[in-house]
Amino acid sequence: MDASLRRRRARRPLLPLTAAICAAALAGGCAGAATPGSRMSNPDTTTQAAAMRRAGNDLQTAYETAIRNVLPSVVQIQAGDNLGSGVAYDGQGHIVTNAHVVGKQRAFSVTVANSERLLRARLVSSFPQQDLAVIKLDKVPAGLKAAKFGDTSAVAVGQIVLAMGSPLGLSGSVTQGIVSAVGRTVSEASSGGGTGATIANMVQTSAAINPGNSGGALVNLNSEVIGIPT
């Protein structure tokens, strides 16, 4: 090959990489090509990731909203040697709890969520057959609001729930789980503070329940109390 031919070949411009790719894919309608070091993004993947982030944020907000709405309605109850929880039922100071929490006591010390001051309460009625009782505060403190009670018949397996109460004496505690089953029949022991009752149509949950949670609130993400843990 003579020198002039080599010079002519050396002067031929090189086809840019992107142009070469487009030319090769022209029949397929190439609209653009990646340059070295760039990353192609999949619009579907990006949209799905954004949707997942929004869903996660929405769920987080639902948790926080339910806790903010219901926790001020949950109280701690001291009944002799028994320690349990309760839920404000109305603005007159009526509190729903478990019959085994009140036991044979007629007077109680109550601590609300926004104060450590002990409040006096008295028994209104106890119904051991369903392990339920109602007590009433002598004086309703500021900040105590009635909880919203939901329809237990609408509870579904797999539904997210929160348990609020005073497990092990730790007032204002919240655990989370799902509804594990509905329509359970459970027999309570008559010893160790239980009523000995056989209770039907109970909601089973995976949310952690410990001594002290009894009488508290099982809450859905609509801020409704759907059960009283026992």
Side-chain angles (χ1 to χ4, degrees):
M1 183 180 296
D2 60 25
S4 61
L5 181 57
R6 286 198 299 271
R7 285 194 297 273
R8 286 197 299 274
R9 288 185 174 179
R11 287 195 297 268
R12 290 182 61 190
L14 296 176
L15 190 63
L17 177 61
T18 53
I21 294 173
C22 278
L26 189 59
C30 176
T35 57
S38 68
R39 296 181 60 185
M40 297 290 288
S41 62
N42 186 327
D44 291 339
T45 302
T46 302
T47 301
Q48 290 173 1
M52 291 178 65
R53 284 195 297 272
R54 287 195 298 271
N57 291 336
D58 289 345
L59 182 60
Q60 175 76 20
T61 299
Y63 271 70
E64 293 176 355
T65 300
I67 293 169
R68 185 168 56 250
N69 287 342
V70 182
L71 199 57
S73 304
V74 179
V75 304
Q76 181 174 288
I77 300 172
Q78 185 76 44
D81 294 332
N82 292 339
L83 181 67
S85 304
V87 185
Y89 183 76
D90 58 24
Q92 284 71 52
H94 290 98
I95 294 171
V96 178
T97 185
N98 284 147
H100 80 260
V101 170
V102 302
K104 296 181 179 180
Q105 301 294 315
R106 295 294 181 267
F108 314 94
S109 296
V110 176
T111 307
V112 298
N114 63 348
S115 173
E116 295 184 358
R117 184 165 60 94
L118 292 178
L119 304 172
R120 295 172 58 86
R122 57 182 174 80
L123 180 68
V124 174
S125 183
S126 180
F127 188 56
Q129 293 87 339
Q130 288 292 317
D131 198 10
L132 290 173
V134 176
I135 66 175
K136 187 177 186 299
L137 293 170
D138 291 344
K139 183 178 181 181
V140 181
L144 180 67
K145 68 174 186 177
K148 179 182 179 182
F149 284 75
D151 182 2
T152 303
S153 67
V155 174
V157 175
Q159 184 175 357
I160 295 173
V161 289
L162 305 171
M164 304 182 190
S166 301
L168 308 175
L170 302 173
S171 62
S173 294
V174 181
T175 56
Q176 65 88 29
I178 63 168
V179 172
S180 305
V182 295
R184 292 292 197 207
T185 298
V186 177
S187 295
E188 290 188 346
S190 56
S191 60
T195 64
T198 297
I199 308 173
N201 297 321
M202 296 189 74
V203 175
Q204 180 183 337
T205 179
S206 66
I209 304 292
N210 289 289
N213 269 121
S214 292
L218 189 69
V219 182
N220 62 24
L221 293 188
N222 292 326
S223 302
E224 298 171 331
V225 177
I226 57 171
I228 304 297
T230 181

